[in-house]
PDB file of all heavy atoms in Angstrom:
ATOM      1  N   LEU A 227      85.257  54.282  89.139  1.00 82.00           N
ATOM      2  CA  LEU A 227      84.484  53.424  90.039  1.00 82.00           C
ATOM      3  C   LEU A 227      85.332  52.888  91.196  1.00 82.00           C
ATOM      4  O   LEU A 227      84.887  52.785  92.348  1.00 82.00           O
ATOM      5  CB  LEU A 227      83.876  52.253  89.242  1.00 82.00           C
ATOM      6  CG  LEU A 227      82.817  52.658  88.224  1.00 82.00           C
ATOM      7  CD1 LEU A 227      82.452  51.471  87.351  1.00 82.00           C
ATOM      8  CD2 LEU A 227      81.553  53.217  88.909  1.00 82.00           C
ATOM      9  N   SER A 228      86.621  52.610  90.906  1.00 76.00           N
ATOM     10  CA  SER A 228      87.502  52.072  91.935  1.00 76.00           C
ATOM     11  C   SER A 228      87.847  53.108  92.994  1.00 76.00           C
ATOM     12  O   SER A 228      88.205  52.748  94.134  1.00 76.00           O
ATOM     13  CB  SER A 228      88.817  51.551  91.307  1.00 76.00           C
ATOM     14  OG  SER A 228      89.634  52.610  90.857  1.00 76.00           O
ATOM     15  N   THR A 229      87.721  54.385  92.637  1.00 67.00           N
ATOM     16  CA  THR A 229      88.029  55.462  93.619  1.00 67.00           C
ATOM     17  C   THR A 229      86.778  55.957  94.298  1.00 67.00           C
ATOM     18  O   THR A 229      86.782  56.947  95.002  1.00 67.00           O
ATOM     19  CB  THR A 229      88.757  56.646  92.936  1.00 67.00           C
ATOM     20  OG1 THR A 229      87.943  57.124  91.847  1.00 67.00           O
ATOM     21  CG2 THR A 229      90.110  56.242  92.420  1.00 67.00           C
ATOM     22  N   GLY A 230      85.650  55.257  94.091  1.00 69.00           N
ATOM     23  CA  GLY A 230      84.430  55.587  94.830  1.00 69.00           C
ATOM     24  C   GLY A 230      83.485  56.586  94.188  1.00 69.00           C
ATOM     25  O   GLY A 230      82.584  57.100  94.859  1.00 69.00           O
ATOM     26  N   VAL A 231      83.696  56.895  92.895  1.00 75.00           N
ATOM     27  CA  VAL A 231      82.802  57.851  92.229  1.00 75.00           C
ATOM     28  C   VAL A 231      81.417  57.207  92.103  1.00 75.00           C
ATOM     29  O   VAL A 231      81.285  56.062  91.655  1.00 75.00           O
ATOM     30  CB  VAL A 231      83.334  58.227  90.827  1.00 75.00           C
ATOM     31  CG1 VAL A 231      82.343  59.148  90.125  1.00 75.00           C
ATOM     32  CG2 VAL A 231      84.666  58.906  90.982  1.00 75.00           C
ATOM     33  N   ALA A 232      80.379  57.957  92.440  1.00 76.00           N
ATOM     34  CA  ALA A 232      79.009  57.434  92.350  1.00 76.00           C
ATOM     35  C   ALA A 232      78.646  57.241  90.888  1.00 76.00           C
ATOM     36  O   ALA A 232      78.833  58.141  90.066  1.00 76.00           O
ATOM     37  CB  ALA A 232      78.046  58.422  92.996  1.00 76.00           C
ATOM     38  N   PRO A 233      78.096  56.065  90.500  1.00 86.00           N
ATOM     39  CA  PRO A 233      77.715  55.830  89.117  1.00 86.00           C
ATOM     40  C   PRO A 233      76.805  56.898  88.533  1.00 86.00           C
ATOM     41  O   PRO A 233      76.900  57.240  87.348  1.00 86.00           O
ATOM     42  CB  PRO A 233      77.006  54.458  89.182  1.00 86.00           C
ATOM     43  CG  PRO A 233      77.680  53.754  90.323  1.00 86.00           C
ATOM     44  CD  PRO A 233      77.907  54.864  91.326  1.00 86.00           C
ATOM     45  N   VAL A 234      75.916  57.465  89.361  1.00 84.00           N
ATOM     46  CA  VAL A 234      74.995  58.488  88.859  1.00 84.00           C
ATOM     47  C   VAL A 234      75.739  59.722  88.356  1.00 84.00           C
ATOM     48  O   VAL A 234      75.285  60.407  87.431  1.00 84.00           O
ATOM     49  CB  VAL A 234      73.971  58.849  89.938  1.00 84.00           C
ATOM     50  CG1 VAL A 234      74.618  59.603  91.101  1.00 84.00           C
ATOM     51  CG2 VAL A 234      72.817  59.669  89.354  1.00 84.00           C
ATOM     52  N   LEU A 235      76.902  60.015  88.973  1.00 82.00           N
ATOM     53  CA  LEU A 235      77.711  61.154  88.455  1.00 82.00           C
ATOM     54  C   LEU A 235      78.250  60.884  87.085  1.00 82.00           C
ATOM     55  O   LEU A 235      78.381  61.780  86.235  1.00 82.00           O
ATOM     56  CB  LEU A 235      78.853  61.465  89.438  1.00 82.00           C
ATOM     57  CG  LEU A 235      78.491  62.066  90.804  1.00 82.00           C
ATOM     58  CD1 LEU A 235      79.745  62.254  91.614  1.00 82.00           C
ATOM     59  CD2 LEU A 235      77.793  63.398  90.613  1.00 82.00           C
ATOM     60  N   ILE A 236      78.579  59.608  86.844  1.00 89.00           N
ATOM     61  CA  ILE A 236      79.151  59.256  85.531  1.00 89.00           C
ATOM     62  C   ILE A 236      78.062  59.316  84.468  1.00 89.00           C
ATOM     63  O   ILE A 236      78.286  59.832  83.363  1.00 89.00           O
ATOM     64  CB  ILE A 236      79.776  57.840  85.608  1.00 89.00           C
ATOM     65  CG1 ILE A 236      80.932  57.873  86.643  1.00 89.00           C
ATOM     66  CG2 ILE A 236      80.306  57.453  84.233  1.00 89.00           C
ATOM     67  CD1 ILE A 236      81.542  56.537  86.925  1.00 89.00           C
ATOM     68  N   THR A 237      76.859  58.799  84.768  1.00 90.00           N
ATOM     69  CA  THR A 237      75.787  58.888  83.763  1.00 90.00           C
ATOM     70  C   THR A 237      75.429  60.335  83.471  1.00 90.00           C
ATOM     71  O   THR A 237      75.144  60.700  82.320  1.00 90.00           O
ATOM     72  CB  THR A 237      74.516  58.121  84.195  1.00 90.00           C
ATOM     73  OG1 THR A 237      74.111  58.612  85.496  1.00 90.00           O
ATOM     74  CG2 THR A 237      74.784  56.648  84.294  1.00 90.00           C
ATOM     75  N   SER A 238      75.507  61.186  84.472  1.00 87.00           N
ATOM     76  CA  SER A 238      75.231  62.604  84.284  1.00 87.00           C
ATOM     77  C   SER A 238      76.266  63.230  83.360  1.00 87.00           C
ATOM     78  O   SER A 238      75.926  63.978  82.438  1.00 87.00           O
ATOM     79  CB  SER A 238      75.240  63.343  85.633  1.00 87.00           C
ATOM     80  OG  SER A 238      75.090  64.740  85.454  1.00 87.00           O
ATOM     81  N   ALA A 239      77.533  62.880  83.555  1.00 87.00           N
ATOM     82  CA  ALA A 239      78.595  63.420  82.708  1.00 87.00           C
ATOM     83  C   ALA A 239      78.459  62.908  81.284  1.00 87.00           C
ATOM     84  O   ALA A 239      78.624  63.649  80.296  1.00 87.00           O
ATOM     85  CB  ALA A 239      79.956  63.044  83.274  1.00 87.00           C
ATOM     86  N   LEU A 240      78.105  61.626  81.109  1.00 93.00           N
ATOM     87  CA  LEU A 240      77.909  61.057  79.776  1.00 93.00           C
ATOM     88  C   LEU A 240      76.736  61.788  79.077  1.00 93.00           C
ATOM     89  O   LEU A 240      76.839  62.113  77.886  1.00 93.00           O
ATOM     90  CB  LEU A 240      77.580  59.581  79.895  1.00 93.00           C
ATOM     91  CG  LEU A 240      78.735  58.653  80.300  1.00 93.00           C
ATOM     92  CD1 LEU A 240      78.194  57.256  80.575  1.00 93.00           C
ATOM     93  CD2 LEU A 240      79.823  58.631  79.231  1.00 93.00           C
ATOM     94  N   ALA A 241      75.661  62.029  79.807  1.00 91.00           N
ATOM     95  CA  ALA A 241      74.520  62.725  79.224  1.00 91.00           C
ATOM     96  C   ALA A 241      74.897  64.120  78.776  1.00 91.00           C
ATOM     97  O   ALA A 241      74.547  64.561  77.670  1.00 91.00           O
ATOM     98  CB  ALA A 241      73.381  62.802  80.243  1.00 91.00           C
ATOM     99  N   GLN A 242      75.653  64.838  79.612  1.00 87.00           N
ATOM    100  CA  GLN A 242      76.080  66.190  79.230  1.00 87.00           C
ATOM    101  C   GLN A 242      76.953  66.188  77.991  1.00 87.00           C
ATOM    102  O   GLN A 242      76.826  67.034  77.109  1.00 87.00           O
ATOM    103  CB  GLN A 242      76.819  66.851  80.394  1.00 87.00           C
ATOM    104  CG  GLN A 242      75.965  67.218  81.580  1.00 87.00           C
ATOM    105  CD  GLN A 242      76.742  67.912  82.674  1.00 87.00           C
ATOM    106  OE1 GLN A 242      77.495  68.856  82.418  1.00 87.00           O
ATOM    107  NE2 GLN A 242      76.589  67.438  83.904  1.00 87.00           N
ATOM    108  N   GLY A 243      77.868  65.193  77.919  1.00 89.00           N
ATOM    109  CA  GLY A 243      78.761  65.103  76.787  1.00 89.00           C
ATOM    110  C   GLY A 243      78.003  64.862  75.473  1.00 89.00           C
ATOM    111  O   GLY A 243      78.262  65.520  74.448  1.00 89.00           O
ATOM    112  N   VAL A 244      77.056  63.906  75.484  1.00 92.00           N
ATOM    113  CA  VAL A 244      76.298  63.590  74.280  1.00 92.00           C
ATOM    114  C   VAL A 244      75.376  64.751  73.900  1.00 92.00           C
ATOM    115  O   VAL A 244      75.246  65.099  72.720  1.00 92.00           O
ATOM    116  CB  VAL A 244      75.495  62.298  74.480  1.00 92.00           C
ATOM    117  CG1 VAL A 244      74.603  62.022  73.264  1.00 92.00           C
ATOM    118  CG2 VAL A 244      76.451  61.131  74.701  1.00 92.00           C
ATOM    119  N   ARG A 245      74.712  65.350  74.912  1.00 89.00           N
ATOM    120  CA  ARG A 245      73.823  66.482  74.589  1.00 89.00           C
ATOM    121  C   ARG A 245      74.583  67.656  73.982  1.00 89.00           C
ATOM    122  O   ARG A 245      74.069  68.350  73.122  1.00 89.00           O
ATOM    123  CB  ARG A 245      73.093  66.924  75.867  1.00 89.00           C
ATOM    124  CG  ARG A 245      71.997  65.971  76.296  1.00 89.00           C
ATOM    125  CD  ARG A 245      71.403  66.356  77.611  1.00 89.00           C
ATOM    126  NE  ARG A 245      70.480  65.365  78.139  1.00 89.00           N
ATOM    127  CZ  ARG A 245      70.344  65.094  79.418  1.00 89.00           C
ATOM    128  NH1 ARG A 245      71.040  65.773  80.324  1.00 89.00           N
ATOM    129  NH2 ARG A 245      69.484  64.189  79.822  1.00 89.00           N
TER     130      ARG A 245
END
Side-chain angles (χ1 to χ4, degrees):
L227 293 171
S228 72
T229 55
V231 177
V234 69
L235 289 179
I236 299 173
T237 55
S238 175
L240 290 171
Q242 288 183 50
V244 175
R245 285 174 188 146

